[in-house]
Amino acid sequence: MSDQNTGLFALLIMLVMILIRVPIAISMLITGVAGNVYIQGVEASLVQFQLLSWEIATNFILIALPLFIWMGQLGYSSGIGKDLYNCFHKWFGHRPGGLAVSSVVSTASFGAITGSSVATVMTMGKMLMPEMRRYRYANSLASGSLASAGVLAILIPPSVPLVFYGVWTESSIGDLFIAGVIPGLLLTLMFSVFIWGYCHFKPSLGPPGEKYPFQEKLASLLNLLPALCVMILVLGSIYGGIATTSEAAAVGVAGMLLVALAKKRLNRRVLRESIGESSKLSSNIFLLLLGGGIFSRFLVQTDLTEIWIQSISGLGLSPYWVIAALVLMYLLLGAIIDTFGMIILTLPFVFPLITSMGIDRVWFGIFIVLMIEVSLITPPIGLNVIVMKQVVPDVPLLDIYKGTFPFVLLCLFMVFLLVIFPEIALWLPSKIH
């Protein structure tokens, strides 16, 4: 069997394993190791496995992953989400759809601390759904806006998927973080304007809430300080040249510990649970990196990636058509595969292709995260929707999906804008350097 046929056969076996629910990391690891043994022999494959394992385990940048995850878990436990909502509710809650807008803005802000979409939806959903029900908001708007707002957590820095992408592609994590700021803020604005407009024409969907005196609004701004200080500590230390990304992650953890301590919410249980959850997720991510690395090196041996690039290039397609095809591919993959699995499964094929076409790797990182956002709120899986269903078990799943549909369209429109105007993502990093 030729090397190319070996690669195709291994790819087919890997896809079958994924379809029968073998974890993606394990599927890639098994097929990658088996394929390398077939082509190179046992001894060379064992050496390669040991070297790659050591390279991943000793990669200084990878220290940032568990630290950012731990920072998010501490934010989850310290009650920052409630403080953020209390502030934005006082400023926006008196308008039609104001509670939903407050939920979107506070969820986006809280996501900037956690970097995790699922944790954000779970935390904010439990806290805000009873409030919106008290004001008789439509279940579809309330649950749909909360599930959709959670996707902003993985675009606005610090973002765990962007760290994951940056490590795998050897891209600047600092540039990826700053590139996500403008798209994240624009998408937050688009979500908010849509809700306001929708509820303005149909006030029964999101009735206005209570109006607060201006002095009370000003006083509520103090609730923004903890989240704002942690964000400034993390991003400021990176772009001020004071700390590397990994060191900035440690600074962020220290900041969240101080916030939790100041709020008297730091105890043994919080530490145990936050460290436990962070360790679990970090272990899964490290295994994905190992499996993806082994499988990618196997593909290099088969020349399958090179053939793939030459085949696409031979079609003479413009980068716009390639991106359009990738949008469709990620929409389909997002229906059946989780966030990190979707990244690591596609990058061995897609990343060499986009770099060969001259597409900026930082821009592409933002593009992938936007497509992940869409997959989190579309059927049949829609992880954020599934989490929201756990928060409000009495709301039919179809109603939540109906509520997320307009936000899916807004996310896709943001992708369109990013393709037409790549400066949306690339302008800010160019000004930092």
Side-chain angles (χ1 to χ4, degrees):
M1 186 184 297
S2 67
D3 288 347
Q4 291 82 9
N5 288 336
T6 301
L8 288 172
F9 181 72
L11 184 61
L12 178 63
I13 294 296
M14 185 191 69
L15 293 175
V16 169
M17 292 174 70
I18 292 171
L19 288 174
I20 61 174
R21 298 186 179 275
V22 176
I24 291 176
I26 302 299
S27 302
M28 299 184 86
L29 196 59
I30 290 174
T31 51
V33 169
N36 279 324
V37 167
Y38 181 81
I39 291 175
Q40 295 180 307
V42 175
E43 187 174 344
S45 299
L46 185 60
V47 170
Q48 187 183 74
F49 182 83
Q50 290 172 332
L51 288 174
L52 184 60
S53 301
W54 177 257
E55 181 184 325
I56 292 173
T58 57
N59 189 331
F60 180 70
I61 298 177
L62 275 177
I63 297 172
L65 269 173
L67 287 174
F68 277 129
I69 293 169
W70 189 20
M71 187 180 84
Q73 290 296 323
L74 288 169
Y76 173 83
S77 306
S78 62
I80 282 183
K82 186 175 182 180
D83 294 339
L84 291 169
Y85 174 73
N86 286 338
C87 173
F88 294 121
H89 167 59
K90 285 177 173 136
W91 283 90
F92 306 128
H94 64 283
R95 298 179 180 275
L99 294 185
V101 171
S102 303
S103 301
V104 166
V105 179
S106 56
T107 300
S109 305
F110 183 68
I113 299 298
T114 64
S116 168
S117 186
V118 171
T120 300
V121 172
M122 182 67 75
T123 304
M124 304 303 278
K126 286 181 178 178
M127 183 177 68
L128 302 184
M129 272 303 292
E131 186 76 0
M132 285 200 270
R133 281 179 161 176
R134 186 164 70 89
Y135 283 91
R136 297 183 179 179
Y137 269 58
N139 280 330
S140 58
L141 176 65
S143 59
S145 61
L146 280 169
S148 302
V151 305
L152 300 168
I154 62 172
L155 184 59
I156 298 175
S159 163
V160 174
L162 282 178
V163 175
F164 184 84
Y165 172 87
V167 169
W168 203 94
T169 61
E170 298 181 354
S171 304
S172 168
I173 294 173
D175 284 352
L176 287 167
F177 278 1
I178 205 70
V181 171
I182 293 179
L185 293 177
L186 276 177
L187 203 52
T188 303
L189 180 63
M190 287 162 63
F191 280 16
S192 301
V193 169
F194 165 74
I195 293 170
W196 265 328
Y198 193 35
C199 293
H200 177 77
F201 290 105
K202 290 188 176 181
S204 60
L205 295 176
E210 183 181 352
K211 192 170 185 177
Y212 293 87
F214 185 69
Q215 292 81 358
E216 197 169 338
K217 290 181 179 180
L218 283 179
S220 71
L221 293 175
L222 290 173
N223 290 329
L224 299 180
L225 283 179
L228 194 60
C229 287
V230 172
M231 285 182 66
I232 291 173
L233 275 173
V234 173
L235 298 180
S237 59
I238 293 174
Y239 296 106
I242 301 170
T244 64
T245 304
S246 300
E247 291 165 346
V251 169
V253 169
M256 285 308 310
L257 286 170
L258 288 174
V259 168
L261 192 62
K263 291 176 173 291
K264 298 181 180 179
R265 291 167 180 162
L266 186 64
N267 52 47
R268 186 176 296 178
R269 180 189 61 80
V270 167
L271 283 174
R272 184 177 63 250
E273 289 181 358
S274 63
I275 292 173
E277 288 298 315
S278 303
S279 302
K280 190 188 302 180
L281 182 54
S282 299
S283 300
N284 290 337
I285 291 174
F286 273 66
L287 190 59
L288 270 169
L289 284 169
L290 179 59
I294 289 290
F295 187 72
S296 180
R297 296 191 181 196
F298 161 64
L299 288 179
V300 171
Q301 299 292 327
T302 64
D303 289 330
L304 206 59
T305 306
E306 187 63 30
I307 293 171
W308 156 259
I309 294 171
Q310 289 175 358
S311 300
I312 299 296
S313 301
L315 295 175
L317 297 176
S318 72
Y320 293 110
W321 281 109
V322 172
I323 293 298
L326 291 178
V327 168
L328 182 60
M329 181 189 77
Y330 280 116
L331 282 174
L332 294 173
L333 284 177
I336 55 175
I337 298 175
D338 64 90
T339 299
F340 295 106
M342 190 159 66
I343 296 176
I344 203 69
L345 187 63
T346 58
L347 280 183
F349 297 97
V350 173
F351 189 70
L353 175 63
I354 65 106
T355 51
S356 72
M357 300 187 75
I359 297 173
D360 189 273
R361 62 176 64 200
V362 171
W363 180 92
F364 190 68
I366 303 303
F367 166 80
I368 280 189
V369 168
L370 279 168
M371 292 312 304
I372 289 171
E373 287 183 339
V374 175
S375 73
L376 288 170
I377 51 176
T378 49
I381 294 181
L383 188 56
N384 279 14
V385 176
I386 302 301
V387 171
M388 197 68 223
K389 174 65 177 174
Q390 294 175 5
V391 174
V392 282
D394 58 313
V395 177
L397 198 62
L398 185 59
D399 282 358
I400 305 177
Y401 276 122
K402 283 180 180 177
T404 63
F405 181 70
F407 300 101
V408 170
L409 296 181
L410 289 174
C411 286
L412 291 175
F413 180 64
M414 187 69 236
V415 172
F416 172 76
L417 289 179
L418 200 65
V419 172
I420 302 300
F421 306 106
E423 295 81 10
I424 293 172
L426 299 178
W427 178 79
L428 203 52
S430 70
K431 293 300 177 183
I432 294 294
H433 292 299

